[in-house]
Amino acid sequence: QSERKEIYLKKAKSLVEAGYAYPCFCTEEELERKREEAEKEGKPPQYDGTWRDADPDIVKKKLEANEPHTFRFKVPNHKVVVIDDIVRGRVEWDADSTVGDFILIRSSGVPVYNFCVAVDDAMMGITHVIRAEEHLTNTLRQCIILDAMGYSRPRYAHCSLILGQDRSKMSKRHGATSIDQFKNEGFLPAAMKNYLALLGWNDGTEKEIFSESELIERFDLRRVVKSPAVFDMQKLRWINGQHLRSMNIEEVIPLAKESLIR
């Protein structure tokens, strides 16, 4: 993305020219003061739109003087954004109250993540975006950017988080977290793929043991569930055992030798 900086800047300026964005000359000190005032009043710490409808002549003079500024997206008042999420169904936001006028390009000239993603998705013709539910508010920003640029939105699928046995978000304290660790503990690639596919998905039957080709044939995003899945090591070990038992001795010997060498 750093190599595409000029592309993002050009897109941001085109949004300004079309009236969808504007330069903001607020300093960090001013923004911090606004955040503190909003918190004292019990309001969400969103930008208050100081430069949203500023005098064009003042803005022009500041730009000509090369005064530091960001580019902010002008979120339409009372804008409601709706998506038909493949996993979660209908999701909607009041954009104005949820995100406010957010930054597209920082004063350093560096574009922000959501702007880069929206531009990249549009230019690469991305049709589907599958990611964690934590990205839902990012989706809101990306949708209104795409709408303003005149591009079609991709289909979105926001999957629930995977939880540890204590039902908290998975982390290192829950055990192995890298593929190498699982490999070193004797878990087969086929078993890992099988188990991970079952975290939040099923094919509508009671079947639990799948080959890779069966998973490819049967997987359907529409059968991914909204509720979070719990990573169960005992279940993973059982599935690993089932895959081991289905192997012939010629397949097992090299794995056993590799394990003994380690």
Side-chain angles (χ1 to χ4, degrees), residues 210-224:
F210 295 88
S211 66
E212 184 173 344
S213 60
E214 287 175 323
L215 287 171
I216 292 170
E217 180 185 347
R218 301 189 187 195
F219 186 82
D220 189 330
L221 270 175
R222 291 171 294 184
R223 292 205 58 83
V224 174

Side-chain angles (χ1 to χ4, degrees), residues 82-91 153 155-156:
V82 180
I83 62 169
D84 179 21
D85 191 278
I86 298 172
V87 173
R88 317 193 84 76
R90 180 185 173 90
V91 181
R153 302 176 189 173
R155 288 295 310 277
Y156 293 98

Side-chain angles (χ1 to χ4, degrees), residues 63-189:
L63 289 174
E64 289 173 347
N66 288 321
E67 289 194 26
H69 61 280
T70 61
F71 284 112
R72 287 183 180 271
F73 189 88
K74 186 184 288 186
V75 177
N77 293 325
H78 313 300
K79 170 79 171 179
V80 175
V81 175
V82 180
I83 62 169
D84 179 21
D85 191 278
I86 298 172
V87 173
R88 317 193 84 76
R90 180 185 173 90
V91 181
E92 65 176 68
W93 302 267
D94 180 334
D96 189 24
S97 63
T98 304
V99 295
D101 289 359
F102 54 91
I103 293 175
L104 300 176
I105 305 287
R106 298 184 179 90
S107 57
S108 61
V110 176
V112 301
Y113 166 78
N114 281 303
F115 186 47
C116 293
V117 170
V119 172
D120 290 349
D121 284 355
M123 297 184 73
M124 291 189 290
I126 298 299
T127 60
H128 289 72
V129 174
I130 306 165
R131 56 190 177 190
E133 62 180 322
E134 294 172 306
H135 284 275
L136 273 167
T137 53
N138 289 332
T139 297
L140 164 58
R141 292 178 173 88
Q142 291 160 25
C143 281
I144 54 181
I145 291 170
L146 288 166
D147 292 349
M149 292 192 299
Y151 291 106
S152 299
R153 302 176 189 173
R155 288 295 310 277
Y156 293 98
H158 290 86
C159 304
S160 295
L161 299 176
I162 297 175
L163 308 179
Q165 295 262 235
D166 58 359
R167 303 198 70 80
S168 65
K169 184 178 176 182
M170 279 284 287
S171 65
K172 289 181 179 179
R173 65 188 177 84
H174 290 106
T177 55
S178 73
I179 295 299
D180 281 343
Q181 280 180 277
F182 283 109
K183 179 182 178 181
N184 292 338
E185 290 179 17
F187 290 101
L188 301 171

